[in-house]
Amino acid sequence: MLAVDDTHCESGARCLSCGAMWAGDPRDCPSCGSRAVEAVDDVLEMALEEALEQGAALELVRSDGARRIMTGRGPMAALLRW
Ligand SMILES: [Zn+2]
């Protein structure tokens, strides 16, 4: 099961080029350097929706961008343990 604290809401951004997501201010993509990014109100929810759409949460975990998001973040740690 994918256990995530769904009361947690974290604003962030998503890269329109490579799909990486991260918490914090929209800026150049930390994964591919693209400036084509969009602000996301709830990056955690977005990440989960993306994982469900892809039908593979592990794909999300493998990406460099997702790994950066999860580092040191409690709510996302559940994804790492999965
Ligand atoms: Zn990118």
Side-chain angles (χ1 to χ4, degrees), residues 15-20 22 29-34:
C15 175
L16 299 178
S17 293
C18 71
W22 61 93
C29 175
S31 181
C32 74
S34 170

Side-chain angles (χ1 to χ4, degrees), residues 12-23 25-38 63-66 68-69:
R14 176 170 68 164
C15 175
L16 299 178
S17 293
C18 71
M21 285 173 281
W22 61 93
D25 297 329
R27 60 185 186 279
D28 292 1
C29 175
S31 181
C32 74
S34 170
R35 292 184 177 180
V37 301
E38 65 175 3
S63 79
D64 288 340
R68 282 193 186 87
I69 292 172

